[in-house]
Amino acid sequence: MLSLYFRDQGYAVKEVGVGGRDGGVDLVIIDKRGEKTAVQAKCYAEHNKVQVMTVRELVAAKRNHDCILSLLITTSDLTADARREAEQFKVDYWHGGLIENKLRAWGKWQPGKGNKKPKKATPTGSTVKTITCACGAPMVARKNKEGKAFWGCSTYPVCRKTKAM
Ligand SMILES: [Zn+2]
């Protein structure tokens, strides 16, 4: 999912950590200027915080992938030690709330709904019309004494406007 996300943000993405030992890096993302960022993603439950070791692995591994920058992404958060380490070694990090906001803004992801089918579009060609009265209220179908249908203001008797069907 992060591969798709970064591609949509205009990065070229290499999935280096797929299928087996990732050596501390999951993705290498390359921006339009050719600058490479090593990305490590940890999908952890909220109580399971990213440890300082993960930050160290990423710092060590980014060189193997020819990256200057590094980014740690987690659904959880970093321990205080891990944050300090990240700040010291200029590892950018996105944690829980931040990554959720970014993915929401992206619009291709919905929280807690894995592979939800896209919503069905509203049917087109529907014959249901909404008629609005001059007063701004919707008009509703009514019948007069002779049984002839007409549009009458829904606020009747406040507004007594009518319209022929
Ligand atoms: Zn009206």
Side-chain angles (χ1 to χ4, degrees):
M1 191 180 68
L2 286 171
S3 297
L4 291 175
Y5 172 79
F6 283 115
R7 283 196 182 107
D8 278 1
Q9 308 305 309
Y11 290 90
V13 178
K14 279 202 287 182
E15 295 182 5
V16 298
V18 173
R21 267 190 61 82
D22 60 18
V25 176
D26 289 319
L27 301 174
V28 172
I29 59 173
I30 305 149
D31 73 9
K32 292 199 170 80
R33 293 170 303 166
E35 199 150 53
K36 293 178 182 176
T37 302
V39 180
Q40 172 67 286
K42 293 287 183 198
C43 187
Y44 284 169
E46 214 170 307
H47 63 272
N48 188 9
K49 295 204 170 25
V50 172
Q51 303 291 316
V52 67
M53 189 52 77
T54 302
V55 178
R56 284 183 189 144
E57 279 172 6
L58 178 55
V59 170
K62 69 174 187 176
R63 298 192 186 98
N64 301 337
H65 296 282
D66 198 24
C67 296
I68 307 285
L69 303 169
S70 54
L71 171 62
L72 183 61
I73 300 175
T74 180
T75 48
S76 168
D77 202 344
L78 284 72
T79 62
D81 281 351
R83 274 174 190 258
R84 262 197 301 278
E85 191 85 0
E87 270 144 34
Q88 189 181 343
F89 290 97
K90 309 267 185 287
V91 175
D92 202 3
Y93 55 86
W94 298 352
H95 53 83
L98 186 61
I99 182 69
E100 192 171 323
N101 287 344
K102 283 177 187 286
L103 292 177
R104 271 182 205 274
W106 177 39
K108 292 190 183 175
W109 172 83
Q110 287 192 321
K113 310 235 169 107
N115 291 316
K116 200 179 167 238
K117 281 180 195 155
K119 258 191 226 161
K120 269 188 194 159
T122 44
T124 51
S126 164
T127 53
V128 178
K129 275 198 294 185
T130 311
I131 306 285
T132 306
C133 178
C135 74
M139 294 188 103
V140 293
R142 295 190 195 281
K143 275 180 185 167
N144 65 13
K145 281 178 210 148
E146 288 80 42
K148 200 168 172 273
F150 66 95
W151 294 110
C153 186
S154 60
T155 65
Y156 179 89
V158 175
C159 168
R160 292 164 176 268
K161 286 190 176 69
T162 61
K163 206 182 228 177
M165 274 198 179

